Amino acid sequence: MPLAGKRILLGVTGGIAAYKTPALVRLLRAEGADVAVVLSRSAAQFVTATTLQAVSNRPVRTDLFDAAAEAAMGHIELARWADLVLIAPATAHCLMRLAQGAADDLLSTLCLATTSPIAVAPAMNNRMWLHPATVRNVARLRADGVIVLGPASGEQACGEVGPGRMLEPDEIVRAVDGLLTPGPLTGIKAMVTAGPTREPLDPVRYISNHSSGKQGYAMAAALAAAGAQVTLVSGPVSLTPPAGVDVVSVTTACEMLDAVMARIAEQTLFVGVAAVADYRPARAAPQKMKKRSGAVRAVELVENPDIVAAVAATKGKRLVVGFAAETEDTIANARDKLVRKGLDLIAVNDVSDRTIGFEGEHNAVTLVTEDGCEHIARTSKHEIARAITDRIASMLAARGDFEIPSAR
Ligand code: C5P
């Protein structure tokens, strides 16, 4: 019962995904949570208070000025009662109101009054999610400390395909477990880089590599499950970000370096999993290069910045972890990289073995530190990520003087 004794205030706002909230309440309660539901006026168009009352076994609140409900538990008391305010689904309108600090209905008032964490699971049409106004509101909410769970990409109720689907109830519950159950990395801020980078030659061509981003995304998920507050700086991949992780999307190595450096000061841990392109074209042509001009045949390349080494160079007490793919002298090459880049730990895999690495679901790595090696035999990328997370947690714990820059 990972949520035993935890009190969750579930705000439901008016989107079609609201039909999934009775299942969400049941799953939260099955894990031991006490769930009180607040329904917005438009949410009542999609799911009834009667249903939610039956599954939560508590009266459902809808109105700020309901005298009887206020007499039983005033809204400020309700805000204090909650260990977590979870809004699922959170509509574009709800995100806008939260970002502005509105307080003209029960849910928005509760969000202003609570001192507990607030998590939102957005759900909306993909164009609404990608609209600059929503992007602005979500950025504001993240800066205010609101935890954004998802959304997932896929088929939408409107028939379109894209980002904006609410995470499934079981995914939301897993994220809530991570938020409310302290793990070995609770209070730690961690940054992960993942995926390939793309280095443009012209508006239609680029240099890149086969990285799928799967190992980096698994790493971000494992660190978040261990309680870390994770920022994932991701190159172009087609993966759904793990719940509860902040994603910064980039394309080129230089953009990745900028995104990392802008946020590195507050991070206790950095894990560089990205397959950063070693070189980029010296110049990206502004127009598509013509085959006949011969320009595509010889491309001048310049070296990209080494992001993990740049982080290590400024590290202070930060723990810096790298990944490496080698085809020969695996351990010796990894040791050399560990020292040359100034890393604390490097996870190296032998990519000459075709059954692991790049686009697959499996990996096998050797963890190399100054003190020695530990081999993790072929298993899923998620298991690999969990094993590395355990190792990171024990390395951090061993540093008795380690400072946690900011607790959640
Ligand atoms: O040198 P190599 O690419 O093998 O090193 C791998 C490690 O260095 C990985 O952790 C990778 O994310 C990081 N790296 C980087 N920036 C680069 C090249 C590699 O952060 N330009």
Side-chain angles (χ1 to χ4, degrees), residues 10-13 17-18 21 24 86-90 119-123 149 166-167 172:
L10 175 65
V12 182
T13 64
T21 52
L24 175 61
L86 169 67
I87 306 183
V120 295
L149 308 178
M166 187 175 82
L167 293 185
I172 296 176

Side-chain angles (χ1 to χ4, degrees), residues 197-201 205-207 251-254 277 279-281 304:
T197 64
R198 276 183 194 166
E199 312 298 331
L201 281 153
R205 303 181 181 94
Y206 56 80
I207 298 174
T251 305
T252 67
C254 291
Y279 294 93
R280 66 177 181 276
N304 267 330

Side-chain angles (χ1 to χ4, degrees), residues 345-362:
L345 168 69
I346 192 159
V348 60
N349 61 6
D350 182 350
V351 284
S352 64
D353 177 350
R354 290 290 172 142
T355 68
I356 59 168
F358 287 131
E359 281 157 355
E361 299 300 329
H362 295 87

Side-chain angles (χ1 to χ4, degrees), residues 193 272-278 304-309 321-326 337 340-341 346:
T193 62
V273 196
V276 182
D278 289 323
N304 267 330
D306 190 311
I307 298 165
V308 80
V321 179
F323 271 68
E326 300 291 346
K337 247 167 227 179
R340 191 160 34 84
K341 300 195 183 209
I346 192 159

